[in-house]
Amino acid sequence: MRLHTLKITAFGPFGGTQEIDFDALSSAGLFLLHGPTGAGKTSVLDAVCYALYGSVPGARQNGGSQGQHLRSDHAEPGVRTEVVLDLTVAGRRLELTRQPPYARPKKRGTGFTTEKAQSWLREHDAEAAGWKDLSRSHQEIGEEITQLLGMSKDQFCQVVLLPQGDFARFLRADAEARGKLLGRLFDTHRFAAVEQRLAEDRRAAEKQVKAGDTELLADAHRMQQAAGDTAELEPADAEPGEPGLADAVLTWAAVARSGARERFTHAHLALGAADSARKAAQDALAAEQDTARLQRRFAEARARAAALDERADEHLALQQRMDRGRKAETVAPALALRDAADTEHRTALREEASTRAALAAAPELSACAPGGHLADDAGPGALAEAARRLAHELGGLDAARRAEQRLTRIADDRARLDREERADAELLTETDGWLDAWDTRRAGLQARVERAQEAATHAEHLAGQLEPVRQRAAAAVERDRLAERAGTAQEATLRAREDAATAHEHWLGLKERRLRGVAAELAEALVSGEPCAVCGSVEHPAPSARSEGHVDQAAEERALAAHRTAEDHRADTERRLARVREDLAAAKAAAGDAPAGQLADAARELEARHAEARAEASTLRAARETLDHAEREHGRRTAARQEAATRTASRASLREALDSERDGLVGELEQARGGAASVEVRAAQLERLVTLLDTAADAARAVEDTAQRLKDADARLADAAFRAGFDTPEAAAGALLDDAAHRELQHRLDARQAEEAAVRAVLAEEDTAAAAHRPAADVAAARAVADAADTRVRVAASARDAAARRCDALDRLSRSAAKEARRLGPLRATYNRIARLASLAAGTSADNERKMRLESYVLAARLEQVAAAATARLRRMSSGRYTLVHSDSLSGRGRSGLGLHVVDAWTGRERDTATLSGGETFFASLALALGLADVVTDEAGGVRLDTLFIDEGFGSLDDQTLDEVLDVLDTLRERDRSVGIVSHVGDLRRRVHAQLEVVKGREGSEVRQRGGV
């Protein structure tokens, strides 16, 4: 994997757009990434990780919303956060673009709207010399990058972005901490999954066995509860999983079943005897209860008879009240008639008083009444006569009403004529002014039409000249652009030819060196006693050996592949150069030798003149329409002036006729109104008085009629009361019973009669009288005997049923226990086998002497590889003093497998890595990180990592050690790698020439690139 360019926009501390050319930095092999604290050095590495995996390393991705956390606080609201990474991985040139979620201002209104995260993946097409889109799906891009790199994000951050602090802690960590890091890098969770699966299988099998034993013990305890005190011995008191449990339970069950059957036989015989005794006691109880009932019945009848004798006077008074009520019923119709007449008379009096009060309150009565006065006690006849006279006067006002309405219409017509006269005067004034200026206005509009026609003709002429000038100007721009591309393509072609020649010479040199050393390769395949493939001899006295710098077949094939790739690149650049030259010749033929700027100026000048002429010509239609509209307006205004003069002459005669008619109507209406404001007011007064007088006359007549009916009703009531035997009508009214009182009195009389009949019937019964002469019945004693017999039956039945249920339960539970015992046999064998395997994988088995878990065993092998790879660089950094070795000795909690020690060549002793000094810890952790990167890379499928970053820690080294560390890092270029050092150390700025400086400011950070190619 090689990084080419990285473009960052509104990301982290970078408010604007920053672009980093890793190709230029990587050309020097080592480059330095430095800057003050907080400037954004780590943000550059975060951007690389975010472009590849869509998230940043470590805890920084958990700081809230991913998009909000990554966005720069210095960015403008309209600028979207974006990271674009151009890289080559697995031989493919790719471009990754990532945009996190973005809360942008709304285009309309206030507030913000959130846009979703976006991702693009493009691949460079060498044949088409351009980029082609591959995917815009987050999931597809993530799967593609993970597959190409062969590493997860955590592995990438450990292998490519080497965190020295983590490896320093790794050196001092215990076995468990080392296991977590190595497990994450080498993806050994599948071995941990095997351990977990075996443990889960063991727990599941153990759970099944214990569940079966628990169920078996539960059956035993249920049988014990069912057997009660019939069992002669107790079931085995064992824990689930113990052997022999099933036999003990089944033996005890057989004994319990036998005892339960004997108890059932005894309980059945006892139940029969108790049932016979209960029947005899129940018969005796029934006889005593019947005697007691008859004796109570006779005593209750004697008590009721005595009570009737005590209430005899009350019964006589009720009968007399009933007789007087029946006599008063003959007077009831006369009473009702007299009450109705009295009510009607009182109502008539109230109506008469109300109408006379309303009539007296009318202020216009004295002015409108005949004779000018009406007496307060006037009778019905006088009131009716006054109403007739006023109604006659009201009928004579119809003609006056019509005259008054006509006078109102005349006033409206007169006002309308005045308005029309004013409107015509204004119209004549405005029209005369417009017509006086008509000749000048028409001449101006005609001139405007002629100017627009001339501009349209000129615009057509310029349009024919414009297109050829535009084509020449565009061809000139394309000519200059292609000239620059031709120069660039020429340089690229020369470089490609040089690279192809160099690769060819390199391949030929390796091939020649391999041919010189091929004898050594053949000698390595010789086997003693077998014939040589060249000479056929079975003896090999002096086989050739590999010399220093021997070239094997793989190296030759790699050189050949590089030579072919360079040849393909050379041919591709030559084809691109030929195409550019052909396009350049065509552009020169179209544009000529005139400068592009001169042609562009001429085109712009011609375009401006053409636009001006078109703008003038575009007004032609509007000018013609304006002229047509003005001519139509002239005709309309001339006709309007003539019509206004005609209307003015006709209004004068109409005004004179209206004035004459108005004068005649005014005198007629003055007489008809009287003293009222208008004829309508006078008519309303008369209508109200006629209504009041008619109502008062009707009320007076009603009073006279109701008074006569009340007098007749009083006479009839007195006569009816005398005939019924009452001294006065009031006495008859007091004796009268309403419906409810009559029903209540009749009910009490009927109840006494019914009670007397019932008492006589009971006293006449022979059985009741005979029982009254017998001794008193003792029901309580008989009931106590019966209850005791019933209790004995229930106890015996319960004992018999309990014995039967006990037998059934023991039979059922015995069958269940036998079935469970048969089922547990295979489960116990399976559990024993799985338990041994799980203990071995977990390191708890006695067979596992070092108590090493399966995952630890695999990680120990990986740690040996890492220690070996790290030692190759650690020896050089420490001048041959230190070597890292893996240890599988026992550690914490009795486990082993992930120990890491350092061997000091000066003392020849092995010691813990925690005893290293600060500087020694740094270069040891650096060697460990580089070694781990190599091992993880090989483990991930051999993906080539051409760009690495190393974090802080160089400040703890002295000058000599720093030189040795830089020499080791410089050797990484032998594998065509580039290494970026992230450090504050000032001395590194003098030793490493290719630098990427991050500068912070109030408006955000910026990157400055120095050195490199």
Side-chain angles (χ1 to χ4, degrees), residues 271 793-803 805:
L271 176 61
V793 170
R794 286 197 302 271
V795 171
S798 177
R800 194 272 312 271
D801 294 340
R805 288 193 301 271

Side-chain angles (χ1 to χ4, degrees), residues 690-761:
V690 169
T691 302
L692 290 174
L693 289 171
D694 287 340
T695 304
D698 293 339
R701 283 193 292 269
V703 169
E704 292 177 353
D705 294 340
T706 56
Q708 184 61 39
R709 287 196 294 272
L710 178 60
K711 184 177 180 181
D712 295 341
D714 285 336
R716 285 194 293 270
L717 176 60
D719 183 62
F722 179 75
R723 287 196 300 270
F726 294 100
D727 296 335
T728 62
E730 289 76 10
L736 188 64
L737 294 172
D738 58 13
D739 292 341
H742 184 275
R743 286 194 300 271
E744 174 64 21
L745 188 57
Q746 187 65 47
H747 175 71
R748 294 173 67 181
L749 293 173
D750 294 342
R752 180 177 177 85
Q753 186 177 0
E755 179 70 7
E756 290 176 349
V759 170
R760 287 194 298 270

Side-chain angles (χ1 to χ4, degrees), residues 361-516:
E364 64 272 16
L365 179 61
S366 59
C368 298
H373 179 71
L374 185 65
D376 294 338
D377 57 349
L383 294 172
E385 180 62 26
R388 282 193 297 271
R389 291 176 182 178
L390 291 177
H392 178 72
E393 182 182 354
L394 180 62
L397 292 178
D398 291 341
R401 282 194 183 115
R402 291 191 294 271
E404 191 174 50
Q405 293 172 356
R406 175 57 185 162
L407 186 61
T408 302
R409 288 196 297 273
I410 289 173
D412 293 341
D413 292 342
R414 193 72 170 72
R416 178 177 56 78
L417 290 176
D418 293 341
R419 290 194 300 272
E420 291 178 354
E421 184 174 6
R422 289 192 298 272
D424 285 343
E426 293 175 357
L427 176 63
L428 287 172
T429 301
E430 194 271 336
T431 302
D432 290 341
W434 193 90
L435 291 175
D436 291 342
W438 165 243
D439 293 336
T440 303
R441 183 181 291 105
R442 187 176 185 280
L445 293 175
Q446 186 65 39
R448 181 182 172 189
V449 171
E450 292 174 356
R451 288 195 302 271
Q453 288 177 340
E454 293 176 358
T457 303
H458 186 54
E460 293 179 359
H461 177 69
L462 292 176
Q465 300 176 358
L466 181 59
E467 189 58 31
V469 175
R470 284 177 176 171
Q471 292 178 355
R472 287 192 64 195
V477 173
E478 182 68 11
R479 176 198 63 197
D480 296 345
R481 186 183 67 81
L482 290 173
E484 294 179 1
R485 286 188 58 190
T488 304
Q490 178 68 27
E491 295 176 359
T493 301
L494 293 176
R495 288 196 301 270
R497 288 172 180 170
E498 293 176 358
D499 293 343
T502 302
H504 184 253
E505 293 176 0
H506 179 63
W507 170 60
L508 292 178
L510 290 180
K511 184 176 182 181
E512 183 179 357
R513 288 168 59 190
R514 181 168 181 268
L515 290 176
R516 289 197 300 266

Side-chain angles (χ1 to χ4, degrees), residues 644-661:
T646 302
R647 289 194 300 271
T648 301
S650 63
R651 276 195 298 269
S653 59
L654 180 59
R655 187 181 294 109
E656 293 176 358
L658 291 175
D659 291 343
S660 176
E661 184 179 2

Side-chain angles (χ1 to χ4, degrees), residues 850-861:
R850 294 187 177 275
K851 296 185 178 180
M852 186 181 295
R853 294 172 48 239
L854 178 61
E855 184 182 14
S856 299
Y857 176 78
V858 176
L859 291 177

Side-chain angles (χ1 to χ4, degrees), residues 766-790:
E766 296 180 359
D767 294 341
T768 304
H773 294 87
R774 290 198 295 267
D778 191 357
V779 179
R783 185 181 300 278
V785 174
D787 291 342
D790 187 64

Side-chain angles (χ1 to χ4, degrees), residues 653-673:
S653 59
L654 180 59
R655 187 181 294 109
E656 293 176 358
L658 291 175
D659 291 343
S660 176
E661 184 179 2
R662 181 188 60 187
D663 294 340
L665 292 174
V666 169
E668 179 182 346
L669 289 175
E670 286 294 336
Q671 183 180 0
R673 289 192 189 102

Side-chain angles (χ1 to χ4, degrees), residues 28 34 118 188 370 393 474 528 877 879 888 961 974 1012:
H34 68 94
Q118 301 286 334
T188 58
E393 182 182 354
S528 180
M877 292 181 186
S879 301
D888 58 0
T961 306
E974 297 174 1

